[in-house]
């Protein structure tokens, strides 16, 4: 088990390193970053000074080395727009995003699993049909539209919930619901289908033959096996979640990293974009690592490989 | 199904059925509500936007935009994914390892992040959206097709083809590919929905199609500012997206039931 | 056995799979000796049966003969010519001569092709017939295996298991091969269908003077169709003899145990003997004679020295220190 | 013979149908037989003849909603199982009647420890409270799994197929059931392992004194362990006979053909007898004898009317027009 985790950690580190390199080259290709901050009529000498300041006068490989070195220290340079260290900027906004993402994930998982399990147990019932329709609609609803509509309905028309900013738990409800919907729908659908498969399988038949009570059959025998594909889906959903935060933070003016990224991007503030991309990849890789460890916990075949 | 038929119909005959010129601005007629709320005129069925443009006409044109962008994006990602999937699955070994490691790496960058990077690289435009969606989507195809190929590669009929002396190309295209075509059709249909949403999302964030084009995501973004007094500006484009995606997903599910190769084998 | 002029002669054939460990710097963790130094020959019109339990290497042997895998070492002669080193067009040309029928008739036929296309494919690939004649040939083949020409335009899923196996046999016959490798040809079929297919195979052998290598775990099936029988255990041939010798006078303890294990459809012959324990892992198999840990007659030598397959007279070969 | 005391299980006119889009599949169609205490019944037939559905019906485990028991009675110790509630059935399953499935590798849950799976019947039938671990180790010893103390905390994938089947048999007998149903218990296994499992079943039978129903397509296996053989063809039982009578003197042309079409080790014949044609579909079967289209001795009536059951001797019954008055 330790060996397995160690192996996965090393793999993750390699992945992150490769991403750093790719991001570095991509960003360098975006065009001259100075064009954004230097007024068009600036003196050539001033441009040179700025170039030196940001290290842009060096050969590209050397720039990469310097970049890697500073990236290792967590230094991604200073934001052009906000004049603050880029990583600190991203990190300072991170708790808000985390709050949003975690609540969205919780909503999606809890509701998605329960809808899916009940649907699978009561196949073709009214409940199942409602659940199926709901997940079909949920998967087709663009989150930004849902956000805007929820805002209109609960915020503007009914005036029940605050529509922008961060603060109380009430502020969280709309954005978190918006983000979670797609994941919730997909989790519900997959849970339904993999539970149906699991319930049909030989080992469930065997458990029933043994006289194991229904709730134990469902929750231990079937759900444990069904959870493997669901876990895979959830790790993939995390990518939607990140996309979701970017969009939803923009709509609900949530002061998180996603909104920061869009602002930075539109302002060509590339140290911030870079820091954000790397940070997001880092988080994403970390989540995948956790998911893989969970796999190993659920599935002994991975543990004993 | 009928949603999809309607969708394709509007795409093809769009210009013929639009009641108004979707790009003609008329500030006198700005922000007219849909006909059932309107006392002034029922000329604009779904109302007008802040520039006085007819929303229905813009939606119909938007369908064309989203269709063209989605199709072109699919034309990039599907063949690319299929090709890599076939190669990776059939030949295995080092080629497979390299391609799969690469997809792993690609997957560890969430699609939106890649999109943000690409947009910053190419600048926001229709072409960018196509490229971004195209090259972020192929991984999915490659992985699924590879899995299918792997399962067919060890099938006895493929082994027998090798015993007979068929060339690799013949085996891949005459034996394996026809068997994965169904999965591919289902995959493309389901992916269509994803592509529509991503395109709209990018446009909504201002990273995609730029004004004054008629695109659903863009219309929504424009409507957001007027949300408190012109709900129709944001509601209808969203509903259009919802139904387009829903239609595609349902078609995909239906195809899956109809074409499912597992049901035919045994 | 010494005769290389037989239709197929296999000499010292080995197939070892390498197992690696580690993900950055892989190191060799061991070998699986799937097929370890086996030799046999088959002459035209005769049948060699290979029998053994799962993991004994019988299917790997078939794959090696069919060129689906390349041997680690050893030679395969076909009509006196070494074919194990051939590649490319030469190999394709040779492949006309050895065809195969596999176990699972549901997976042996491409579900997306019509029967006509399936049977005609070998003819297309090898261009042995003018295109006009292919259709007649397909119909003739279908009739040979007991189906009718009207079946040609159906898809595989419209047939039952037994019929599909007939189609697979028709396909194998398309190129007029000299030998057919049959890997568990009846074990996926229903009892009443097995006899149909076995009879068909024997008829075809007489009609076309085919050589068969038949692989099965079912000793009764092997006995019914084979002229010679080889018994495999963990990658080794432990005994090989003409059919009647194997059954009337088994020399290797494993062969005896195998025969003892087979239930007989006769309630007056209740068997209550047989091996305990299981087949050891083919990864790092036992030293010396691979059967010694399960053998009731073993002595010290058995665990140290691997016995050679020796001739004990009248084409009977056995690899055991005790005989 | 006092039959009522001896009778453990009696099926009377059992019908289990599957309602599919193509029509009604009569998987089990009017099946009656009895199992007496201490008997080993062999339910023999080809795949798809309804033998597995018969056994699932006894446990009321027919896959719903497509499958349904539409008629008949299943009397277990003189109580009709079809009238029991689901909870009452659960109390019977694994406790009074247990079952062994064909492929032990898929019948065991790959994600749960052997010990846990083994303990479930004990736990849910209120046996061996507090000493479950000891009981499990004892069970593993009984089915001859070596070093049970360590193996109990291993997972199924660490076991070979034969060992898995031993565990499944252990689970089956853990509550000392009255009836053990074994559905193709050796089919997925190697020859030498098959013999081991067969020996184990015999030992288990002697030790627990359970009645056994063995469902198999393998006539040789049935010959080795059964006291009575029932032959099933296309949803119907066509012949019932004591084991010796069956193999020496089977009456139904199908049973007869089946016995002659199987090659037997050491008794090679020049040419195997073969039953021509294919087993029929169970979808909308004909009114006549279902074997008639393949039968060489078929008469006109065979295709028109289903034959009555004829008693040929002590415990030997056959459903065939060759032995009945028209």
């Amino acid at each position: 088990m330790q060996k397995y985790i160690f192996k996965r950690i090393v793999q993750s580190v390699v992945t992150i390193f490769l991403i750093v390199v790719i991001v570095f080259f991509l960003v360098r290709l975006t065009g001259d970053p100075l064009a954004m901050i230097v007024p068009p009529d600036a003196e050539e000498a001033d441009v040179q000074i700025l170039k030196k300041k940001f290290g842009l006068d060096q050969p590209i490989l050397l720039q990469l080395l310097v970049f890697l070195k500073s990236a290792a220290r967590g230094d991604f340079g200073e934001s052009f727009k906000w004049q603050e260290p880029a990583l600190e900027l991203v990190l300072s906004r991170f708790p808000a995003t985390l709050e949003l993402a975690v609540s969205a994930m919780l909503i999606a998982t809890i509701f998605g699993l329960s809808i899916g399990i009940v649907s699978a147990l009561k196949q073709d019932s009214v409940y199942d049909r409602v659940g199926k329709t709901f997940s079909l609609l949920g998967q087709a609803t663009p989150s930004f539209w849902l956000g805007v509509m929820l805002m209109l309905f609960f915020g503007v028309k009914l005036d029940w919930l605050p529509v922008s900013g961060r603060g109380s738990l009430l502020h969280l409800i709309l954005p978190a619901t918006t983000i979670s919907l797609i994941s919730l729908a997909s989790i519900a659908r997959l849970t339904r289908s993999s539970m149906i498969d699991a319930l049909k399988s030989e080992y469930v038949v065997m458990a029933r033959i043994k006289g194991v009570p229904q709730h134990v059959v469902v929750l231990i025998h079937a759900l444990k096996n069904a959870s493997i594909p669901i876990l895979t889906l959830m790790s993939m959903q995390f990518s939607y979640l990140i996309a979701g935060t970017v969009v939803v933070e923009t709509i609900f003016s949530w002061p998180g990293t996603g909104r920061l990224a869009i602002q930075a991007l539109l302002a060509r503030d590339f140290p911030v974009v870079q820091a954000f991309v790397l940070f997001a990849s880092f988080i994403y890789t970390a989540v995948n690592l956790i998911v893989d460890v969970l796999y190993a916990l659920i599935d002994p075949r991975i543990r004993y490989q | 199904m009928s949603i999809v038929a309607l969708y394709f119909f509007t795409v093809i005959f769009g210009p013929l059925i639009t009641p108004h010129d979707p790009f003609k601005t008329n500030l006198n007629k700005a922000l007219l509500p849909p006909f059932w709320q309107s006392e002034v005129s029922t000329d604009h069925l779904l109302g007008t936007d802040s520039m006085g443009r007819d929303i229905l006409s813009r939606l119909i044109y938007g369908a064309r935009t989203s269709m063209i962008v989605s199709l072109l994006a699919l034309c990039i990602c599907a063949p690319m994914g299929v090709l890599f999937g076939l190669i990776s699955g059939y030949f295995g070994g080092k080629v497979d390892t390299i391609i799969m490691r690469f997809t792993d790496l690609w997957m560890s960058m969430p699609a939106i992040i890649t999109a943000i990077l690409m947009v910053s690289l190419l600048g926001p435009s229709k072409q960018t959206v196509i490229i971004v969606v195209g090259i972020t989507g192929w991984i999915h195809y490659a992985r699924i097709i590879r899995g299918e190929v792997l399962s067919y590669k060890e099938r006895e009929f493929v082994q027998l083809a090798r015993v007979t002396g068929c060339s690799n190309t013949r085996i891949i295209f005459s034996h394996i590919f026809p068997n994965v075509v169904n999965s591919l059709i289902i995959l493309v249909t389901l992916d269509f929905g994803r592509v529509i949403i991503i395109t709209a999302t990018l446009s909504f964030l201002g990273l995609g199609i730029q004004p004054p084009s008629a695109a659903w995501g863009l219309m929504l973004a424009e409507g957001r500012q007027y949300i408190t007094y012109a709900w129709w500006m944001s509601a209808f484009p969203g509903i259009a997206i919802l139904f387009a995606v829903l239609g595609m997903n349902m078609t995909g599910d239906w195809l899956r039931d109809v074409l499912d190769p597992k049901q035919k084998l045994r | 056995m010494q005769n290389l002029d037989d239709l197929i002669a296999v000499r010292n054939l080995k197939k070892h799979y390498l197992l690696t460990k580690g993900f950055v710097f892989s190191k060799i963790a061991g070998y699986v000796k799937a097929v370890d130094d086996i030799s046999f020959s088959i002459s035209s019109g005769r049948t060699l049966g290979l029998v053994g339990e799962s993991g004994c290497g019988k299917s790997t042997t078939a794959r090696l003969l069919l060129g689906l895998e390349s041997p680690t070492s050893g030679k395969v002669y076909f009509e006196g010519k070494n074919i194990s080193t051939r590649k490319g067009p030469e190999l394709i040309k040779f492949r006309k001569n050895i065809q195969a029928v596999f176990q699972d008739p549901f997976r042996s036929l491409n579900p997306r092709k019509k029967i006509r296309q399936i049977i005609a494919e070998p003819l297309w690939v090898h261009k042995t017939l003018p295109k006009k004649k292919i259709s007649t040939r397909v119909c003739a083949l279908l009739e040979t295996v007991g189906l009718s020409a009207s079946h040609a335009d159906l898809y595989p899923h419209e047939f039952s298991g037994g019929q599909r196996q007939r189609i697979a046999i028709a396909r194998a016959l398309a190129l007029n091969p000299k030998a057919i490798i049959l890997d568990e040809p009846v074990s996926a079929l229903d009892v009443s269908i097995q006899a149909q297919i076995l009879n068909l195979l024997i008829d075809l052998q007489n009609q076309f003077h085919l050589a068969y290598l038949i692989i099965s775990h079912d000793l009764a099936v092997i006995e019914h169709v084979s002229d010679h029988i080889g018994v495999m255990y963990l990658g080794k041939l432990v005994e090989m003899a003409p059919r009647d010798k194997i059954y009337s006078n088994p020399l290797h303890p494993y062969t005896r145990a195998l025969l003892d294990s087979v239930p007989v459809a006769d309630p007056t012959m209740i068997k209550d003997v047989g091996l305990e324990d299981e087949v050891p892992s083919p990864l790092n198999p036992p030293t010396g004679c691979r059967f010694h840990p399960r053998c009731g007659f073993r002595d010290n030598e058995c665990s140290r020295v691997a016995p050679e397959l020796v001739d004990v007279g009248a084409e009977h070969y056995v690899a055991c220190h005790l005989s | 013979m006092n039959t009522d005391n001896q009778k453990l299980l009696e099926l009377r006119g059992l019908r289990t149908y599957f309602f599919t889009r193509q029509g009604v599949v009569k998987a089990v169609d009017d099946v009656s037989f009895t199992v007496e205490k201490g008997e080993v019944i062999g339910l023999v037939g080809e795949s798809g003849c309804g033998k597995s559905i018969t056994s699932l019906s006894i446990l009321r485990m027919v896959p719903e909603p497509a499958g349904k028991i539409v008629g008949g009675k299943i009397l277990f110790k003189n109580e009709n199982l079809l009238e029991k509630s689901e909870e009452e059935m659960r109390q019977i399953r694994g406790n009074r009647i247990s079952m062994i499935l064909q492929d032990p590798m898929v019948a065991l849950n790959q994600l749960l420890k052997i010990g846990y799976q083994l303990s479930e019947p004990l736990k849910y039938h209120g046996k061996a409270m507090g000493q479950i671990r000891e009981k499990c180790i004892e069970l593993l010893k009984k089915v001859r799994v070596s070093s049970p103390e360590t193996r109990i905390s291993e997972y199924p994938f660490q076991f070979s197929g034969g060992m898995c089947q031993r565990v499944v048999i252990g689970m089956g007998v853990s509550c000392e059931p009255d009836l053990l149903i074994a559905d193709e218990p050796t089919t997925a296994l190697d020859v030498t392992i098959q013999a081991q499992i067969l020996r184990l079943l015999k030992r288990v039978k002697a030790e627990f004194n359970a009645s056994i129903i063995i469902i198999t397509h393998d006539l040789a296996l049935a010959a080795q362990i059964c006291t009575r053989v029932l032959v099933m063809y296309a949803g119907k039982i066509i012949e019932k006979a004591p084991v010796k009578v069956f193999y020496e003197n089977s009456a139904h042309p199908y049973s007869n053909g089946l016995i002659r079409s199987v090659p037997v080790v050491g008794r090679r014949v020049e040419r195997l007898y073969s039953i021509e044609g294919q087993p029929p579909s169970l979808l909308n079967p004909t009114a006549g004898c279902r074997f008639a289209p393949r039968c060489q001795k078929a008469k006109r009536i065979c295709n028109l009317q289903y034959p009555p059951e004829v008693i040929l001797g002590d415990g030997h019954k056959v459903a065939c027009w060759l032995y009945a008055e028209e």
Side-chain angles (χ1 to χ4, degrees), chain A residues 118-132 192 196, chain D residues 21 64-66:
Chain A
V118 179
S119 277
L121 287 177
K122 308 212 159 137
Q123 246 190 92
D124 297 321
S125 65
V126 179
Y127 181 87
D128 182 26
R129 270 181 223 148
V130 172
K132 258 158 67 181
R192 178 181 183 272
I196 287 175
Chain D
R21 266 182 223 162
E64 286 171 4

Side-chain angles (χ1 to χ4, degrees), chain C residues 294-316:
Chain C
R294 299 173 82 191
C295 182
F297 308 96
R298 62 168 178 265
D299 59 23
N300 285 336
E301 201 188 359
C302 296
S303 59
R304 284 182 289 109
V305 188
E308 295 283 321
L309 194 65
V310 291
D311 193 346
V312 292
E315 292 187 281
H316 197 151

Side-chain angles (χ1 to χ4, degrees), chain A residues 15 18-19 22-23 26-27 29-30 136-137 139-142 144-145 148-149 152 156-157 182 189 236 239-240 242-243 246-247 250-252 261-262 265-266 268 273 276-277 280-281 284-285 288, chain B residues 104-105 107-113 116-123 140 194 197 200-201 204-207 216-217 220 224 227-228 231 234-239 241-242 245-246 249-250 253 256:
Chain A
T15 312
L18 286 172
I19 290 175
I22 292 173
V23 167
L26 278 181
V27 170
L29 289 172
T30 20
L136 259 175
L137 281 174
Q139 279 185 315
T141 313
F144 51 93
W145 180 70
V148 172
M149 288 299 118
L152 175 69
V156 180
K157 291 262 144 99
I182 285 193
R189 273 191 87 173
M236 269 158 59
S239 145
Y240 286 106
I242 292 179
V246 171
V247 173
T250 310
I251 297 174
F252 290 95
I262 294 295
L265 186 66
L266 294 175
R268 296 204 143 230
V273 174
F276 169 74
V277 168
S281 305
Y284 190 61
T285 315
N288 275 332
Chain B
D104 280 347
L105 188 63
M107 295 247 295
S108 55
M109 306 230 286
I112 190 83
I113 309 290
I116 288 177
L117 267 177
M118 300 291 300
V119 173
S120 61
L121 177 75
L122 301 167
H140 200 50
R194 183 192 70 93
I197 288 197
T201 309
F204 177 79
L205 290 174
L207 304 176
W216 294 342
L220 240 160
R224 225 186 100 210
I227 181 84
T228 40
W231 58 270
S234 8
F236 293 120
I239 292 170
I241 298 173
L242 180 92
V245 176
L246 189 67
N249 284 353
M250 284 168 76
D253 288 347
R256 197 197 320 255

Side-chain angles (χ1 to χ4, degrees), chain D residues 183-255:
Chain D
D183 189 352
E184 304 272 8
T186 63
T187 309
L189 305 171
D190 262 327
V191 183
T192 55
I193 312 299
Q194 281 188 12
Q196 291 173 14
I197 295 297
L198 188 63
R199 290 201 293 279
L200 179 65
L201 279 173
K202 286 180 183 171
R203 208 158 43 225
V204 158
K205 177 177 173 354
E207 184 166 341
F208 293 89
N209 195 30
S211 300
I212 301 181
I213 299 178
I214 295 208
I215 292 166
T216 183
H217 69 277
D218 186 345
L219 289 167
L221 174 77
Q224 293 292 310
I225 185 166
C226 297
T227 53
R228 220 144 54 86
V229 176
L230 315 176
V231 183
M232 214 166 163
Y233 187 79
K236 298 259 192 196
I237 290 189
I238 55 160
E239 185 163 4
K240 305 171 186 170
V243 68
K244 285 196 175 131
V245 177
F246 178 75
Y247 286 94
E248 280 158 19
N249 223 345
S250 61
H252 199 285
Y254 174 68
S255 332

